[in-house]
Amino acid sequence: MIKGENLTMIYGGTFKSVDNLNFHIGKGEIVGFVGPNGAGKTTVIKMLTGILRPVEGCATINGFDIVKEPLEAKKSIAYVADNPDILLQLKGIEYINFIADIYQVPTDMREDRIKELATRFGILDSLETPMKEYSHGMRQKLMIIAALIHNPPAWILDEPMTGLDPAAAFELKQMMREHAAKGNSVLFSTHVLEVAERLCDKILIINHGKELYQGTLDDLTKQHPDKDLEQIFLDMISYTKTGGEADA
């Protein structure tokens, strides 16, 4: 449902931020997107969601090419960016309704969906408050609610748990599991390896825009016996930093 083929992005004419990246996230899969700061994760996500146009390659969402069929592809995406500080002059409910209008969500459907999601995240009583008065975590919750308002099949989430309190992070993880169990797909970037270890069916690790590993955590740990996930990740990153090849 979420597919990248030979994805490549070059900045400034020479800097290759993403280098010929290939992956496929199928129905019912939750995939953790892992890499150090500056690895290219957000650039990949922006190409998948149509914010950036690939220099080479293509991104496909639910069978729709994000460049050739942008409206159909974007209707299939729930996108949570890495910055929740958007349109802060609006009340929470105004922002959600603004996004719901864009996706043409019927009034009765959106009311039920808003109540359900806001209750799960514990901010139902705060929706009439301007977002500029929200904490970072409350803004993050609202961005997630707005992104999910049209209930699309593909979730693409960039560091979605940053700033969330433990209860909200738990709810989001449960929602990811529920969404995948219905035959949908989730791709989310994270720096918290423990979350990827517990939640994901597969992980995709990149550095300097290149794939270091793609597959299940079981297979990865079998390739690196007697090491935990954190040590494996650090070893892989250190190889690429020193110019060697990652042992993946």
Side-chain angles (χ1 to χ4, degrees):
M1 295 185 88
I2 304 172
K3 189 175 183 180
E5 295 180 276
N6 305 315
L7 283 178
T8 300
M9 176 56 63
I10 298 174
Y11 292 125
T14 56
F15 176 68
K16 191 171 282 188
S17 174
V18 178
D19 188 0
N20 196 38
L21 193 63
N22 293 274
F23 56 88
H24 179 237
I25 301 166
K27 294 181 179 180
E29 289 187 335
I30 302 174
V31 175
F33 197 15
V34 182
N37 291 334
K41 301 187 301 297
T42 294
T43 297
V44 171
I45 286 173
K46 287 182 175 180
M47 286 191 284
L48 290 174
T49 53
I51 297 171
L52 292 174
R53 187 180 184 123
V55 173
E56 296 177 13
C58 65
T60 306
I61 309 295
N62 201 27
F64 300 106
D65 187 299
I66 194 67
V67 173
K68 297 177 181 178
E69 304 163 287
L71 290 180
E72 292 304 320
K74 290 177 183 180
K75 287 178 183 178
S76 301
I77 300 171
Y79 168 53
V80 175
D82 58 347
N83 181 4
D85 299 332
I86 302 171
L87 298 177
L88 299 183
Q89 71 273 22
L90 297 180
K91 296 177 182 179
I93 191 65
E94 290 174 336
Y95 179 78
I96 295 172
N97 278 317
F98 171 66
I99 300 300
D101 287 342
I102 291 173
Y103 286 103
Q104 301 177 330
V105 181
T107 300
D108 56 344
M109 184 183 299
R110 81 172 65 174
E111 288 177 352
D112 291 341
R113 188 92 172 133
I114 291 169
K115 184 176 180 180
E116 175 196 352
L117 294 172
T119 299
R120 292 188 72 166
F121 281 122
I123 63 168
L124 185 62
D125 294 335
S126 302
L127 294 183
E128 293 294 337
T129 302
M131 290 191 293
K132 63 184 178 182
E133 299 179 19
Y134 284 10
S135 67
H136 178 91
M138 288 178 66
R139 293 173 189 173
Q140 186 74 359
K141 293 175 186 180
L142 195 82
M143 293 301 114
I144 295 170
I145 292 170
L148 303 183
I149 193 65
H150 59 302
N151 197 25
W155 292 8
I156 301 175
L157 316 176
D158 197 355
E159 295 287 347
M161 296 179 199
T162 301
L164 294 183
D165 56 65
F170 175 82
E171 282 296 335
L172 180 57
K173 287 182 281 189
Q174 286 296 103
M175 290 163 66
M176 288 186 194
R177 293 186 180 102
E178 293 165 9
H179 191 65
K182 294 176 182 177
N184 301 302
S185 302
V186 178
L187 171 69
F188 76 101
S189 66
T190 181
H191 288 295
V192 184
L193 297 177
E194 291 83 0
V195 172
E197 191 169 17
R198 294 194 204 102
L199 184 60
C200 298
D201 301 295
K202 297 178 182 177
I203 60 170
L204 171 60
I205 303 175
I206 69 170
N207 197 19
H208 304 303
K210 295 182 178 182
E211 177 190 320
L212 299 185
Y213 177 78
Q214 184 174 176
T216 67
L217 284 163
D218 283 344
D219 286 344
L220 180 62
T221 53
K222 286 176 183 177
Q223 293 173 24
H224 302 265
D226 303 320
K227 292 182 180 180
D228 60 23
L229 182 60
E230 183 178 45
Q231 188 58 58
I232 294 169
F233 176 76
L234 292 174
D235 286 350
M236 295 174 76
I237 298 306
S238 68
Y239 287 136
T240 58
K241 282 182 178 178
T242 57
E245 294 185 359
D247 180 11

